[in-house]
Amino acid sequence: MRPFRYAHAAGDDWREIADACLSQLGEVPAAANLGFLYVTDSLADDLAELLGRLKDATRVRDWVGAVGIGICATGTEYYEDPAAAVMLGEFPPDGFRVFPNLVDDLAAFDTCNGEWIAERHPLLALVHGDPTGGVTEELIEQLATRTAAGFLVGGLASSRGHTCTIANGLHQGGLSGVLFAEGVGVLTRLSQGCLPIGPHRTVTKVERNILMTLDGRRALDVLKEDIGEVLARDLMHIGRTIFVGLPIVGSDTGDYLVRNLVGLDPDEGLVAVGDLLEPGQRLMFCRRDGATARDDMNRMLASLKGRLREPPRGGVYVTCLGRGVNLFGPDSAELCQIQEALGDVPLVGFYANGEISQDRLYGYTGVLMLFT
């Protein structure tokens, strides 16, 4: 199986970028039948013209993708400049199914795709969401149940202006994407970028998102104990380093959801968390910095490499806006780490306003999907 064609370029306008990408792609194989397109938000207003140009030139009819404040390709990140990353996949003609945006429910989705799903038993879907409206955790969970593995991969578009996703055409609001049929080889894992510190704690008293006690003790006292004396001396500056991890019940890989610390009350011993909590719920405190992010990424990449029998044909990487240069450092360090581990695998993706893996919406996460 040959690698997918891919290209990426920055430029002064969408025409220059389109021409550069098409030149890199070269002669498009007749078997290419699904395009992936990610553009920086500087190109959002020109996305319809850019997509039309790529469709006409490649003769690939089906496309998926999104706008991002940043985008990525093999070993490369783009942030400020107008830029695009393109990949052309080759799949069996009935091996995938693109679907437009879902907002309120799955009634229209089931009507249009139910028969194909029953015949092709899709294992998972690559999805892109518009954070400005219509994307809920309930909708994500419902869509995941339409796949045999109960699995979605993807993220929410990000933009300083116009936000949209691609599913053949351009869409605003809701979720859109592509289902992959049984038999399409796909591997996926996520990297949290955090390292749990201290033991799992039990919420014993809470009011919405305000932790009062953990394990029957003042929540702030437990936090200070778990993070250690050095960090506890300067609580006003731990917000970028210390987070709360909420273990996912039933996960066989130890997955957890990362949530912000949003406030501390030293007098009352309270800790405010960026999510609603309940008595009896388990949590742990986590540390997140460049070193822990690189270590966790290496663990994720080693796990994927151990499952590969041959080099992947291509991949899609969705990573958090808070990662990239903000966490891994300059010079496309996050993407270079992937390239160093997997080689020159054709890869495209974007920096998201929330990442989707399995049936959940994550934050501070990198989600890697490989086609084998």
Side-chain angles (χ1 to χ4, degrees):
M1 301 292 284
R2 60 188 172 194
F4 295 164
R5 298 286 182 93
Y6 81 110
H8 54 92
D12 293 330
D13 60 47
W14 72 266
R15 295 174 184 84
E16 178 183 345
I17 293 168
D19 289 343
C21 287
L22 290 169
S23 176
Q24 293 174 43
L25 290 172
E27 184 176 354
V28 176
N33 56 2
L34 178 61
F36 303 81
L37 173 61
Y38 298 98
V39 303
T40 56
D41 58 348
S42 302
L43 283 179
D45 292 338
D46 302 312
L47 183 52
E49 288 84 359
L50 175 60
L51 178 60
R53 173 84 170 99
L54 293 173
K55 281 185 174 183
D56 291 343
T58 62
R59 297 185 180 179
V60 174
R61 183 188 67 183
D62 290 307
W63 290 78
V64 293
V67 171
I69 289 176
I71 65 169
C72 53
T74 305
T76 306
E77 300 167 348
Y78 296 95
Y79 285 105
E80 299 298 331
D81 299 326
V86 183
M87 185 170 70
L88 302 179
E90 301 178 21
F91 301 97
D94 58 352
F96 65 91
R97 181 94 165 192
V98 175
F99 57 90
N101 59 324
L102 314 170
V103 180
D104 297 320
D105 56 49
L106 299 186
F109 174 88
D110 290 338
T111 298
C112 295
N113 301 288
E115 184 176 344
W116 184 87
I117 290 173
E119 293 176 352
R120 303 302 301 160
H121 308 291
L123 289 178
L124 55 72
L126 171 65
V127 297
H128 305 101
D130 182 350
T132 62
V135 178
T136 64
E137 294 199 15
E138 182 179 4
L139 187 64
I140 292 170
E141 292 171 358
Q142 289 175 356
L143 182 58
T145 64
R146 272 46 173 191
T147 67
F151 220 103
L152 308 179
V153 176
L156 306 184
S158 61
S159 177
R160 288 160 289 202
H162 185 62
T163 303
C164 62
T165 63
I166 303 167
N168 290 339
L170 305 188
H171 301 279
Q172 289 185 293
L175 288 172
S176 64
V178 55
L179 294 154
F180 291 102
E182 185 179 36
V184 173
V186 179
L187 295 176
T188 181
R189 286 296 303 270
L190 64 83
S191 173
Q192 296 277 58
C194 289
L195 177 68
I197 53 177
H200 283 208
R201 302 293 189 174
T202 300
V203 177
T204 46
K205 189 175 182 182
V206 64
E207 193 169 300
R208 294 181 60 81
N209 70 320
I210 308 298
L211 284 170
M212 299 175 180
T213 64
L214 292 170
D215 296 342
R217 299 166 52 202
R218 293 199 335 163
L220 185 57
D221 293 342
V222 176
L223 167 64
K224 292 166 68 174
E225 178 181 304
D226 285 354
I227 66 177
E229 182 181 354
V230 174
L231 287 174
R233 290 177 192 160
D234 191 9
L235 292 176
M236 297 302 294
H237 294 91
I238 66 172
R240 295 184 179 181
T241 304
I242 302 301
F243 297 80
V244 172
L246 305 178
I248 295 174
V249 177
S251 171
D252 60 358
T253 56
D255 287 344
Y256 51 92
L257 300 174
V258 179
R259 295 295 183 255
N260 287 322
L261 291 176
V262 297
L264 303 174
D265 185 336
D267 294 332
E268 300 296 329
L270 307 178
V271 176
V273 179
D275 204 347
L276 299 179
L277 302 172
E278 297 178 353
Q281 191 169 354
R282 304 280 279 172
L283 61 77
M284 70 277 202
F285 296 106
C286 304
R287 180 172 184 138
R288 175 178 174 263
D289 54 28
T292 60
R294 288 187 290 273
D295 289 345
D296 193 53
M297 176 77 87
N298 281 331
R299 284 191 289 271
M300 182 264 280
L301 293 169
S303 175
L304 281 174
K305 282 188 69 175
R307 297 162 62 191
L308 289 170
R309 297 181 180 179
E310 55 187 9
R313 296 186 295 157
V316 174
Y317 186 53
V318 180
T319 185
C320 179
L321 282 169
R323 291 167 62 94
V325 67
N326 300 302
L327 189 59
F328 288 80
D331 302 321
S332 304
E334 183 176 8
L335 274 296
C336 287
Q337 187 172 349
I338 296 174
Q339 185 181 30
E340 289 169 5
L342 300 180
D344 293 325
V345 174
L347 187 73
V348 296
F350 73 110
Y351 285 84
N353 200 22
E355 306 76 58
I356 297 170
S357 180
Q358 196 166 350
D359 60 354
R360 297 176 180 87
L361 184 62
Y362 287 80
Y364 307 107
T365 302
V367 181
L368 181 58
M369 176 184 191
L370 300 176
F371 296 102
T372 60

